[in-house]
Structures are given as structure tokens and as C-alpha cells.
């Protein structure tokens, strides 16, 4: 009888890794109330956990304007500083309060190209304990179609556990 190698489910593998990162983030930020420290920790640990992550970070709601995002803690190449609500993928997530999965950013109307190497992205709204939008978490990849429902579920869980 020949040996059959185990079939590794790539989705299960990704979910397991998210589980580990989620636990690591929770352990590091435990007892730390500062939002910048928490965002920096999330950006750092996520970006180092996945090779597919090219740009990983937060755009926070600018309290002085209300309908504009300003760049927050991130890992990656230079990000643009400000994004109005409704503009690009981050602006769509902020305006709708819904996670955006974009397999090809070039096909997304109004996409903001901070780095032309980005080809797909996911943006997750970040809400505080009261349910108000405080930021969005933006992850870009150089690959097309890098993100799916597994990423959405886990990133939503991570931001809810860290900021909700
Ligand atoms: N791609 C984003 C802009 C931010 S950066 O890529 C860092 C967007 O269209 O919302």
C-alpha cells in the first residue's frame, strides 16, 4: 500500500494561523488601553504572520472633520495620508460600515493607488464599544484575489476583540 500524503486544506491552514495571531494580539495588548499601541500591535503581528500581506494598517476617523480618514499605525510602504468617506475601498468601508473584499483593485471605482504594486485588498470597519466607527483596517496584497471570507471573518473578530 502506497503512502498517501495528507491533503492540507489551505483555508483551514489560514484560519489556524489567524487563530494563533488573534491569541498573540490579545496577549500583547491585555491591560493596554492606548488605541495607538493596540493598532500598532495589530498591524505588526498581522503583517508578519502572512506573506500575502503587503500593506497592513489603519485609517482612523478624523474627529475634527467627521467624514474623513487619516492614516494611523501601519506596516508597509508609504500610505496616502487622508481618504474622504466614500472614496476608494477604505472610504467605502467607512461610509457603509461593511467589510470590502476587492479581488482586483484596478476594477474598483475610485480606488486610491498609494502603491501601484497593490492588486487586491480587504478593508474592515473598526468600531468602539459603543458601536461607533473609529477606523478601518486596510490590508493590501500584491497578488490578485488574495482575500476571501476567511480573512473577513478573522479580521472582523480581531478588530472586535481589540477595539470593541
Ligand atoms: N487602497 C486604499 C488606499 C489606501 S492604501 O492602499 C494604503 C483604498 O483605495 O482605499
Amino acid at each position: 500500500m502506497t503512502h498517501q500524503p495528507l491533503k492540507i486544506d489551505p483555508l483551514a491552514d489560514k484560519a489556524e494561523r489567524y487563530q494563533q495571531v488573534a491569541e498573540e494580539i490579545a496577549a500583547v495588548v491585555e491591560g493596554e488601553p492606548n488605541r495607538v499601541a493596540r493598532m500598532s500591535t495589530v498591524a505588526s503581528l498581522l503583517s508578519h504572520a502572512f506573506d500575502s500581506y503587503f500593506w497592513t494598517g489603519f485609517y482612523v476617523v478624523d474627529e475634527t472633520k467627521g467624514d474623513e480618514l487619516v492614516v494611523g499605525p501601519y506596516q508597509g510602504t508609504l500610505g496616502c495620508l487622508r481618504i474622504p468617506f466614500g472614496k476608494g475601498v477604505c472610504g467605502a468601508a467607512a461610509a457603509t460600515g461593511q467589510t470590502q473584499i476587492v479581488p482586483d483593485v484596478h476594477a474598483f471605482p475610485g480606488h486610491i493607488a498609494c502603491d501601484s504594486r497593490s492588486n487586491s485588498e480587504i478593508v474592515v470597519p473598526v468600531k468602539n464599544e459603543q458601536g461607533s466607527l473609529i477606523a478601518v483596517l486596510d490590508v493590501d496584497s500584491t497578488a490578485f484575489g488574495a482575500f476571501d471570507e476567511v480573512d473577513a471573518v478573522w479580521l472582523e473578530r480581531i478588530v472586535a476583540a481589540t477595539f470593541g
Side-chain angles (χ1 to χ4, degrees), residues 7-21 49-50 150-151 154:
K7 271 195 180 166
I8 309 273
D9 178 353
L11 293 185
D13 193 41
K14 183 160 71 171
E16 268 168 39
R17 192 172 286 205
Y18 270 116
Q19 168 87 53
Q20 290 166 359
V21 186
F50 296 99
V150 174
D151 301 279
W154 276 99

Side-chain angles (χ1 to χ4, degrees), residues 59 69 80 82-102 104-114 121-123 136 138 140:
Y59 278 90
L69 300 164
C80 46
R82 288 183 177 269
I83 300 175
F85 275 34
K87 181 112 193 340
V89 187
C90 290
T96 62
Q98 301 293 315
T99 294
Q100 309 288 312
I101 299 174
V102 181
D104 177 359
V105 295
H106 311 290
F108 192 93
H111 169 251
I112 303 157
C114 297
E121 70 179 276
I122 182 169
V123 182
V136 299
D138 176 13
D140 296 7

Side-chain angles (χ1 to χ4, degrees), residues 65-87:
K65 306 216 176 191
D67 59 354
E68 193 168 286
L69 300 164
V70 61
V71 77
Y74 69 92
Q75 299 264 323
T77 55
L78 182 67
C80 46
L81 299 189
R82 288 183 177 269
I83 300 175
F85 275 34
K87 181 112 193 340

Side-chain angles (χ1 to χ4, degrees), residues 40-61:
S40 303
T41 302
V42 170
S44 175
L45 290 178
L46 278 175
S47 79
H48 287 91
F50 296 99
D51 289 342
S52 52
Y53 279 38
F54 173 65
W55 196 97
T56 312
F58 292 86
Y59 278 90
V60 299
V61 176

Side-chain angles (χ1 to χ4, degrees), residues 142-158:
T142 55
F144 287 95
F147 306 105
D148 56 25
E149 279 302 315
V150 174
D151 301 279
V153 164
W154 276 99
L155 292 176
E156 286 170 6
R157 271 186 206 163
I158 288 169

